[in-house]
Amino acid sequence: MISDVLKQSLIKYQAIELTEREIYLKISNRLKDEHNKKTMKKIADEESKHYEIWRKYTKKDVKPLKRKVTFYSFLAKIFGFTFAIKRMENKLTGVTSIPKPLYDELMESVPEAHDVFEDEDRHELELISMLDEERLQYVGSMVLGLNDALVEISGSLAGFAFALQSNTLIALSGLITGIAATLSMASSEFLSSRADGESDAGKSAVYTGVAYIITVALLIAPYLLLPDEAFMPALFIMLGVVVLIITVFNYYISVAKDQPFKRRFLEMTTISLGVAALSFVLGIIVKNALGVDL
């Protein structure tokens, strides 16, 4: 016999297990790779077994949390299934944490609970590690394109800001620089991968180029959207975009690849903003030295 308080916790567990099951099944239905599809369905079966164990003690049927199912299914479409699943496991597992006295009662009243938690902590993580998502194989290429774009283009735009003092001219100069740099980076990544004997050199080049050009577009956007003379507000917004891109990308990597967030974030932010500051000062020096007045 379990207490009413423990019963409510088990009902919450049931809802989480069923929700995760629905998410795994929804994502698996969109996958083409048979290995990933089978692994997803295997994890979904694990969640079903856990649900039935809790149900045996609560004697209640529950429904999955539809908003969570919709949210994580959408997340998988945008950021990939590995990111969505790992974030889901981190967030939803935290929801089911209970105080120690209740945990002790759970261990005593529900003999299967220990095995369920072991499955959650070990077995399911092992299954998740077996998933093979293409985009994560090219994280190195994405980092190369993203990091180079952040450093080069933010630095160039900061330098152009004081030298040109016109958002139209700054955006035009940044766009030309960005397109040329995108083609250069993509071709360099292709030749480097080919020289290393990699068979997927073309894909590496595409991931590098796409990451680069998307970053370029985001950094130039403030100069295109603000009035021509508002080059200083555009500069500060652009620097904010730099920090935002670094934050989002490093959060993605920290979740999907289980890598530390803080160190990588501080490293990329310091380099990007440092180069931008130096370029801005250089723009002032060059403008004054050459006596250019636009």
Side-chain angles (χ1 to χ4, degrees):
M1 186 70 178
I2 62 174
S3 67
D4 290 339
V5 176
L6 179 57
K7 184 177 180 179
Q8 291 305 311
S9 292
L10 294 184
I11 289 173
K12 187 187 293 185
Y13 282 11
Q14 282 181 258
I16 295 299
E17 302 288 5
L18 207 56
T19 299
E20 291 185 345
R21 174 185 179 275
E22 289 296 309
I23 293 169
Y24 281 118
L25 290 178
K26 268 187 170 293
I27 295 176
S28 70
N29 290 335
R30 295 201 304 266
L31 298 179
K32 296 179 180 179
D33 183 87
E34 283 301 317
H35 167 75
N36 288 334
K37 188 184 288 285
K38 288 179 180 178
T39 303
M40 287 279 196
K41 289 183 176 179
K42 190 171 182 180
I43 302 174
D45 289 340
E46 293 278 343
E47 303 292 1
S48 294
K49 291 176 184 176
H50 298 163
Y51 170 83
E52 291 300 330
I53 290 172
W54 304 134
R55 183 179 175 278
K56 184 171 70 172
Y57 291 91
T58 64
K59 311 296 183 186
K60 286 195 67 173
D61 290 312
V62 300
K63 294 182 179 180
L65 306 172
K66 291 297 184 183
R67 289 185 180 180
K68 297 291 185 183
V69 173
T70 301
F71 173 72
Y72 285 106
S73 298
F74 172 76
L75 212 61
K77 287 182 181 179
I78 303 300
F79 294 104
F81 60 81
T82 304
F83 174 83
I85 288 171
K86 288 190 174 183
R87 188 179 187 279
M88 175 190 72
E89 290 290 345
N90 291 337
K91 293 292 184 180
L92 294 187
T93 299
V95 170
T96 59
S97 58
I98 59 176
K100 191 175 186 309
L102 203 57
Y103 178 83
D104 292 337
E105 181 189 348
L106 174 61
M107 291 294 109
E108 184 177 339
S109 304
V110 183
E112 302 96 329
H114 180 269
D115 291 335
V116 171
F117 291 149
E118 188 174 289
D119 279 346
E120 296 283 355
D121 292 337
R122 181 184 54 82
H123 192 197
E124 286 181 11
L125 291 178
E126 288 176 0
L127 290 173
I128 290 173
S129 69
M130 291 169 58
L131 295 171
D132 183 22
E133 187 170 11
E134 181 184 90
R135 74 180 68 184
L136 290 182
Q137 298 173 12
Y138 298 95
V139 163
S141 298
M142 288 191 287
V143 169
L144 178 65
L146 183 79
N147 196 52
D148 272 42
L150 286 172
V151 173
E152 292 178 20
I153 303 304
S154 64
S156 298
L157 293 174
F160 294 151
F162 199 84
L164 301 178
Q165 299 187 4
S166 163
N167 279 346
T168 302
L169 293 176
I170 295 168
L172 179 61
S173 302
L175 188 60
I176 294 171
T177 302
I179 292 174
T182 298
L183 297 174
S184 174
M185 283 298 303
S187 58
S188 296
E189 175 68 4
F190 176 80
L191 293 174
S192 176
S193 299
R194 179 62 65 87
D196 290 337
E198 297 179 13
S199 58
D200 55 355
K203 283 188 177 181
S204 296
V206 169
Y207 274 97
T208 299
V210 169
Y212 200 106
I213 198 65
I214 289 176
T215 306
V216 169
L218 292 173
L219 295 184
I220 290 176
Y223 296 96
L224 295 174
L225 297 175
L226 293 181
D228 193 57
E229 67 279 3
F231 61 92
M232 286 305 293
L235 171 63
F236 287 113
I237 293 174
M238 183 272 291
L239 295 177
V241 172
V242 168
V243 175
L244 180 61
I245 292 173
I246 293 173
T247 302
V248 172
F249 184 75
N250 278 288
Y251 179 69
Y252 169 80
I253 295 299
S254 70
V255 173
K257 299 280 285 183
D258 298 314
Q259 294 184 3
F261 170 81
K262 187 176 180 180
R263 182 180 61 80
R264 292 174 58 90
F265 170 78
L266 291 175
E267 185 179 81
M268 290 183 70
T269 302
T270 301
I271 293 172
S272 297
L273 297 185
V275 169
L278 289 173
S279 299
F280 182 74
V281 173
L282 183 62
I284 296 175
I285 293 172
V286 170
K287 180 180 174 65
N288 291 333
L290 298 180
V292 178
D293 188 17
L294 296 175

